[in-house]
Amino acid sequence: MTTNAPTMTAKTATQNACKLCNPLGACLAFRGIEQCVPFLHGSQGCATYIRRYLISHYKEPIDIASSNFNEETAVFGGSHNLKLGLKNVSQQYKPRVIGIATTCLSETIGDDVPMILKEYEAIMGGAANLPVMIFASTPSYSGTHIDGFHAAVRSAVKTLAVGGAKKNLVNLFSGMISPADIRYMKEILTDFGMPFMLLPDYSQTLDGGPWAEYHRIPPGGTPTSAIADSGCASASIEFSSTLEASKSAAGYLEAEFGVPRHQLPLPIGIKASDRFFAVLEELTELQMPEKYEDERRRLVDAYADGHKYIFGRKAILYGEEDLVISMAAFLREIGVVPVLCASGGKSGLMKKRMLELIPDLEEQGIEVREGVDFVDIEHEAERLQPDMLIGNSKGFTMSKKHDLPLIRIGFPIHDRFGGQCLHHLGYRGTQELFDRIVNTVIEERQKSSPIGYTYM
Amino acid sequence: MDTQNINLLEGREKQVYEKTAGGAEIEIACDKTSLSGSVSQRACVFCGSRVVLYPVADAIHIVHGPIGCAAYTWDIRGAVSSGPELHRLSFSTDLQEMDVIYGGEKKLYKSLVELIDQYQPNAAFIYSTCIIGLIGDDIDAVCKKVAKEKGIPVLPVHSEGFKGTKKDGYKAACHALMKLIGQGSTEGISKYSINILGEFNLAGEAWIIREYYEKMGIEVVATMTGDGRIDDIRRSHGATLNVVQCSGSMTTLAKDMEEKYGIPYIRVSYFGFEDMSKSLYDVAQHFPDRPDIMEKAKEIVRDEIRKYYPEMQKFKAALTGKKAAIYVGGAFKTFSLIKALRTIGMSVVLAGSQTGNKQDYKNLKEMCDEGTVIVDDSNPVELSKFVLEKEADLLIGGVKERPIAFKLGVGFCDHNHERKIPLAGFIGMYYFAKEVYESVMSPVWQFAPRKGGLR
Ligand code: SF4
Ligand code: SF4
């Protein structure tokens, strides 16, 4: 089979989108900065919809302020509303940082937010009296939620980082990963004895414990002082396959302060995790701690124990481009064929990056599609007859209709419990994913067997 | 109450009120757009329209704008259909930069034609979102053109998010429905017939209600919009009476229908034994020449209450003395909830809504006990404050309120459009009581910091 398969139905409208909008990603990233309130410059609805969407996944309170455009604002500009909004949110939330992202509306009317912020600063008697303002431009008509996420991270660094004498410090820009993955990454860096700055860190702000009183801003997050230090780091590691230096935080630090940028695919699977650990070994001049050697050994062992169940099984994979790329490489590593790798994003780089990781992509009959929606994917599912779907919850309807098991990964997970606790990265995350894939196949076999074996 | 220490935002003081003996009588401010910078729990005009029209299951719903507004409302409601399920799909023109610069009319036209060809719906609703209002696409013209070409109603819904509040979205939706009403034949419709308005068939609630009325010998012409069908809506002007629930969303339509077709309307609520019974009696009373309808209504009420009474007593025994906080969309719902909670022994310490009007709040003030806080368009900081201060055991609200309750170790009941368990009707009251019981009485709260579970 070649990748020149029949093209999908040419269509104009997006049907059941496999992507979200730009400011959602920015709000998520802002939630990973200590004492930061996300603020959307636009109308009320966007903020509310994004809140409820994030809440359904993280099951945590998520306060996002909005400048609440009305008809006048839309006509005469949002300057007044933004200033009033910033004042109100400062008063009510007492934040140390306000993360401001635009919406389609404020972008279209052409509000010059940096200028408005300057004016606001002047009115309020200087920046010293105010929270730090981080601003990201996030119009949804160009880009998806992942672009907003990266834009916010880059802005945070751009706003806060200062240069200076090099420190024994590594920056980790881990991308849009689960809180559980963030905790695991921090554990690894700690075990290497390496001082680090991980941004954004929503491992606690979006997955914390119970409260005795309402925290206007939940505890946790990357401290601004740490972000400031990122300019003096000895290196940055950035998980992403498609993120270009000009749009990334690590790229900024490299250009501005000469901090070397190590761009790595999300470390899913043994090979990709090895690569990540190799970079850590190189940066710390230390060997991988025994604990991770153990994790790796157990994983290799599991690969052997489980390989026969899954060899040659076909999967349809969808979600953010970076996640899909790394997951596909992992699936190839265990013998599963990701017959369709699909994303609603449109970086234009997906296929190229995948070819680097999976050189025999075409021979394997793996199709790569950018800018697709769930109706496209479903259409392809009918043709490709996969054994399973791997992606977020939004594929459930398709999975039910076609009686295909769905292995939930990434974001959003709205129809299962504990989406924020899923591991995807490193040996530990790969182990979890591997177990789920094997068990899914075993369960299917068990279900379809007339005998009902209790040993499988 | 010390409102000082939560520093109510300037401009919000008049939207919060505590009922106290001999306390100052203030008029609660409402019908205001949310304050800039406050984390309002409200959505937008588009949300209002989408909520009302969403359950129409044999129409396609196309959101004209960038992707977000459509993505966030994909399959969002628990509104179920007994047939087609087009409402559960999410269509968007997904505007890109060039469309924003050059206008989105062409893309809308193409999208519409393709989707209508593909899905063969009985109508299409086109929602214009914020950005459309700004770039000025003439969606009416596009709709007209496509309607003519395809021979189905293609209805523009002017729901630009920033042009008001959710209530304005309700109006825009009613406006679109009005264009359908009157288009169908009313032949064969009984004299003893009603339309059910403002009932969205969440978790099958419209079916429960419909069955009661049909048992009484009343024909239900259309439910708007629960399990909704375009053809039913088109002939709904043949009904004798409009029965309106959820005052906020569809009173406009009822009024318009009264004016144009002379159909009177009554307002009802289906939550709680008390209000549910009343809504059957009120309809029966409208047909005095048929005493059998009233007889039947009484019989239903009797039978149903008898069926659930023993269970309810069990719940009541456990819940008596517990306190509830309510923060829901429409204020009318709050009235019913207060009564329903009283039936199971609970008192209400906070009663709020996103979109109440002056009269609603006046009624609320009369209805509530002393010490109850009444709020309009609240935010998480205020809500959590009141819940803790008043030591509520339960919060009733929607998705955005749920994590506030759980974080603070308080029981919760979903009373919004996402619910999967019917809460309307007699059986709904049973489910409601059961859900409240299961949440409030759960042993997990012993670990909540506010119950001394902090280590
Ligand atoms: S863009 Fe406008 S219509 Fe869409 S969600 Fe935001 S406020 Fe509502
Ligand atoms: S207007 Fe833009 S920012 Fe707002 S919800 Fe729609 S796509 Fe997202």
Side-chain angles (χ1 to χ4, degrees):
Chain A
M1 204 197 298
T2 69
T3 47
N4 296 328
T7 46
M8 294 178 201
T9 35
K11 58 186 184 51
T12 311
T14 297
Q15 308 183 15
N16 298 344
C18 185
K19 61 179 175 184
L20 298 158
C21 79
N22 221 316
L24 178 135
C27 291
L28 179 59
F30 286 141
R31 286 289 288 204
I33 298 173
E34 193 178 55
Q35 287 298 309
C36 174
V37 174
F39 188 110
L40 284 188
H41 186 40
S43 5
Q44 174 67 57
C46 314
T48 304
Y49 276 130
I50 288 172
R51 283 178 67 206
R52 74 153 292 289
Y53 208 87
L54 289 168
I55 286 171
S56 291
H57 176 89
Y58 293 102
K59 307 198 168 32
E60 294 276 332
I62 291 171
D63 293 7
I64 298 172
S66 155
S67 50
N68 286 344
F69 273 47
N70 54 33
E71 199 133 21
E72 260 163 64
T73 331
V75 177
F76 299 111
S79 169
H80 168 76
N81 268 42
L82 181 53
K83 289 173 195 158
L84 176 64
L86 290 172
K87 211 172 117 214
N88 279 335
V89 90
S90 303
Q91 188 195 330
Q92 192 156 45
Y93 282 76
K94 312 230 170 345
R96 246 179 281 146
V97 186
I98 303 180
I100 303 147
T102 45
T103 61
C104 304
L105 189 58
S106 53
E107 284 284 338
T108 308
I109 63 170
D111 267 355
D112 183 347
V113 174
M115 196 191 75
I116 301 172
L117 293 180
K118 270 208 198 94
E119 286 171 11
Y120 177 67
E121 235 174 71
I123 302 168
M124 303 301 283
N129 304 316
L130 296 173
V132 179
M133 309 276 174
I134 300 174
F135 163 65
S137 161
T138 49
S140 254
Y141 44 76
S142 50
T144 72
H145 59 294
I146 204 75
D147 299 286
F149 184 94
H150 292 309
V153 176
R154 183 177 165 95
S155 301
V157 166
K158 220 171 143 178
T159 309
L160 289 162
V162 283
K166 284 278 164 272
K167 290 184 181 165
N168 179 32
L169 169 76
V170 59
N171 301 320
L172 178 58
F173 300 105
S174 49
M176 202 171 138
I177 62 175
S178 76
D181 281 330
I182 297 180
R183 285 192 289 272
Y184 182 44
M185 288 300 119
K186 292 202 289 191
E187 185 181 329
I188 293 172
L189 290 162
T190 306
D191 288 342
F192 264 97
M194 183 73 173
F196 64 90
M197 191 282 315
L198 184 146
L199 182 71
D201 179 3
Y202 43 81
S203 62
Q204 206 185 343
T205 56
L206 290 179
D207 195 16
W211 296 344
E213 56 180 293
Y214 193 77
H215 291 286
R216 296 166 198 208
I217 308 176
T222 317
T224 45
S225 57
I227 305 174
D229 268 352
S230 66
C232 309
S234 48
S236 301
I237 299 175
E238 191 161 66
F239 292 154
S240 170
S241 301
T242 54
L243 184 56
E244 292 167 87
S246 62
K247 289 184 178 165
S248 90
Y252 170 81
L253 292 176
E254 186 167 60
E256 197 68 21
F257 304 113
V259 181
R261 171 184 188 231
H262 298 263
Q263 190 185 14
L264 294 173
L266 284 163
I268 305 176
I270 292 180
K271 283 187 213 156
S273 300
D274 284 352
R275 248 175 102 179
F276 169 53
F277 277 99
V279 170
L280 290 181
E281 286 183 334
E282 187 193 313
L283 292 175
T284 57
E285 294 175 13
L286 287 173
Q287 281 219 319
M288 177 155 80
E290 198 53 32
K291 175 173 156 193
Y292 299 99
E293 290 289 359
D294 275 343
E295 283 186 358
R296 189 183 189 281
R297 276 191 283 268
R298 284 197 294 269
L299 181 58
V300 174
D301 204 48
Y303 272 19
D305 294 339
H307 74 281
K308 270 201 238 172
Y309 293 105
I310 52 177
F311 183 83
R313 299 278 157 168
K314 295 192 286 182
I316 283 185
L317 189 59
Y318 60 84
E320 280 92 40
E321 290 165 279
D322 288 337
L323 182 64
V324 167
I325 292 170
S326 290
M327 277 298 295
F330 155 60
L331 291 180
R332 285 313 298 135
E333 197 172 274
I334 59 174
V336 173
V337 189
V339 282
L340 175 67
C341 299
S343 178
K346 279 193 248 182
S347 70
L349 292 169
M350 205 166 150
K351 177 126 185 222
K352 199 166 151 214
R353 295 287 172 264
M354 287 189 65
L355 271 169
E356 289 162 15
L357 296 170
I358 312 170
D360 63 346
L361 186 106
E362 311 224 322
E363 295 91 275
Q364 291 294 333
I366 297 170
E367 295 174 26
V368 183
R369 293 269 201 268
E370 292 185 5
V372 294
D373 59 31
F374 278 102
V375 169
D376 295 326
I377 299 174
E378 195 173 328
H379 188 83
E380 292 297 278
E382 279 160 28
R383 181 173 66 84
L384 294 164
Q385 297 288 317
D387 300 297
M388 65 189 100
L389 303 171
I390 304 180
N392 57 47
S393 281
K394 295 299 165 193
F396 175 69
T397 329
M398 167 173 57
S399 107
K400 188 174 162 116
K401 198 162 137 198
H402 298 274
D403 196 19
L404 285 168
L406 169 63
I407 296 170
R408 289 166 181 79
I409 58 164
F411 173 90
I413 296 185
H414 287 163
D415 67 335
R416 280 292 178 279
F417 202 68
Q420 74 278 26
C421 302
L422 290 180
H423 283 106
H424 309 71
L425 305 187
Y427 305 121
R428 196 182 295 169
T430 305
Q431 180 80 60
E432 209 174 89
L433 292 175
F434 183 76
D435 293 351
R436 283 167 72 202
I437 294 171
V438 174
N439 282 329
T440 302
V441 173
I442 290 179
E443 198 180 324
E444 289 298 301
R445 281 170 73 160
Q446 209 166 21
K447 264 203 299 199
S448 61
S449 153
I451 298 177
Y453 296 104
T454 54
Y455 283 108
M456 284 299 291
Chain B
M1 179 181 48
D2 182 10
T3 49
Q4 233 26 56
N5 61 5
I6 69 156
N7 47 61
L8 274 184
L9 290 173
E10 198 180 316
R12 278 208 38 80
E13 302 91 342
K14 286 198 159 163
Q15 286 168 278
V16 181
Y17 170 85
E18 181 173 5
K19 181 167 170 178
T20 48
E25 264 307 305
I26 65 149
E27 185 140 299
I28 296 172
C30 52
D31 284 329
K32 305 210 311 186
T33 49
S34 303
L35 192 62
S36 175
S38 83
V39 181
S40 168
Q41 304 293 86
R42 280 179 181 167
C44 59
V45 182
F46 163 69
C47 175
S49 296
R50 194 79 176 93
V51 158
V52 169
L53 296 174
Y54 184 96
V56 180
D58 59 348
I60 51 171
H61 301 259
I62 305 174
V63 184
H64 188 31
I67 198 64
C69 328
Y72 302 130
T73 48
W74 175 18
D75 208 12
I76 188 178
R77 306 200 89 197
V80 283
S81 162
S82 55
E85 294 207 313
L86 289 174
H87 65 304
R88 301 190 59 195
L89 300 168
S90 165
F91 301 124
S92 168
T93 45
D94 191 359
L95 292 191
Q96 300 297 305
E97 198 148 12
M98 286 303 139
D99 307 320
V100 174
I101 297 170
Y102 297 110
E105 288 172 24
K106 276 205 192 93
K107 195 168 190 188
L108 175 62
Y109 172 80
K110 265 191 95 179
S111 300
L112 257 168
V113 169
E114 284 170 16
L115 290 172
I116 291 171
D117 287 347
Q118 187 178 350
Y119 292 94
Q120 304 286 324
N122 290 336
F125 292 101
I126 317 305
Y127 303 81
S128 64
T129 60
C130 281
I131 210 155
I132 303 307
L134 211 62
I135 62 176
D137 277 3
D138 188 352
I139 70 164
D140 291 27
V142 178
C143 290
K144 236 193 209 142
K145 185 166 175 218
V146 178
K148 213 167 149 205
E149 284 174 26
K150 296 289 166 193
I152 58 164
V154 180
L155 302 156
V157 187
H158 290 282
S159 53
E160 294 86 352
F162 62 84
K163 288 194 172 163
T165 65
K166 201 167 163 182
K167 275 189 190 170
D168 298 290
Y170 297 151
K171 279 192 202 133
C174 291
H175 194 70
L177 289 171
M178 256 328 256
K179 286 194 195 150
L180 285 170
I181 296 166
Q183 305 283 317
S185 155
T186 56
E187 225 185 274
I189 293 177
S190 153
K191 213 174 113 197
Y192 306 98
S193 59
I194 59 170
N195 295 313
I196 300 178
L197 266 54
E199 166 48 61
F200 302 117
N201 204 29
L202 307 173
E205 289 176 339
W207 296 331
I208 297 172
I209 306 304
R210 194 182 178 117
E211 201 186 311
Y212 297 146
Y213 287 130
E214 284 174 354
K215 263 194 195 155
M216 286 160 58
I218 289 168
E219 178 181 348
V220 178
V221 182
T223 48
M224 285 187 250
T225 52
D227 198 11
R229 297 295 182 274
I230 295 296
D231 279 346
D232 295 344
I233 299 171
R234 294 170 80 140
R235 64 199 285 269
S236 62
H237 58 297
T240 316
L241 176 69
N242 276 331
V243 184
V244 192
Q245 198 206 205
C246 189
S247 59
S249 66
M250 282 210 161
T251 311
T252 318
L253 185 71
K255 281 185 182 155
D256 287 353
M257 285 178 80
E258 179 166 46
E259 198 174 293
K260 191 159 175 193
Y261 301 105
I263 306 170
Y265 72 91
I266 53 169
R267 281 169 60 164
V268 299
S269 162
Y270 304 126
F271 295 110
F273 287 166
E274 215 177 303
D275 284 354
M276 184 64 237
S277 309
K278 191 167 181 306
S279 74
L280 299 185
Y281 297 149
D282 285 356
V283 170
Q285 240 158 32
H286 197 77
F287 304 105
D289 58 326
R290 286 267 308 271
D292 59 310
I293 292 181
M294 182 58 92
E295 274 317 304
K296 199 74 197 164
K298 284 183 180 159
E299 195 185 309
I300 293 171
V301 172
R302 205 167 45 236
D303 289 354
E304 291 285 318
I305 292 184
R306 191 178 292 148
K307 191 151 64 180
Y308 299 112
Y309 189 77
E311 283 294 321
M312 299 298 285
Q313 291 316 101
K314 267 192 241 161
F315 296 136
K316 188 172 177 178
L319 294 169
T320 295
K322 304 274 185 202
K323 293 178 251 175
I326 304 171
Y327 187 72
V328 289
F332 207 63
K333 220 160 32 178
T334 316
F335 306 147
S336 294
L337 283 169
I338 295 173
K339 286 185 238 167
L341 286 161
R342 280 180 185 154
T343 359
I344 49 173
M346 291 179 76
S347 60
V348 172
V349 291
L350 169 75
S353 96
Q354 291 175 17
T355 55
N357 61 29
K358 286 218 155 41
Q359 188 56 45
D360 292 335
Y361 288 122
K362 220 181 243 157
N363 295 349
L364 259 185
K365 277 202 277 187
E366 269 164 33
M367 229 182 134
C368 287
D369 299 329
E370 246 166 57
T372 306
V373 176
I374 299 169
V375 291
D376 176 60
D377 185 21
S378 199
N379 55 41
V381 173
E382 289 172 13
L383 288 176
S384 55
K385 175 74 185 169
F386 301 138
V387 162
L388 286 178
E389 198 171 79
K390 296 284 168 184
E391 298 182 322
D393 302 284
L394 174 78
L395 174 63
I396 300 179
V399 199
K400 295 185 299 300
E401 289 78 33
R402 187 196 303 139
I404 299 175
F406 290 168
K407 264 292 168 206
L408 299 173
V410 175
F412 184 79
C413 172
D414 269 295
H415 208 293
N416 77 330
H417 52 76
E418 276 186 61
R419 63 178 177 265
K420 306 291 182 288
I421 301 170
L423 301 181
F426 298 98
I427 188 172
M429 178 60 199
Y430 163 75
Y431 286 136
F432 172 71
K434 182 165 178 281
E435 185 177 342
V436 168
Y437 170 83
E438 284 169 359
S439 195
V440 170
M441 302 311 290
S442 170
V444 301
W445 306 128
Q446 66 183 303
F447 302 107
R450 73 182 188 113
K451 291 276 168 77
L454 200 60
R455 286 199 304 164

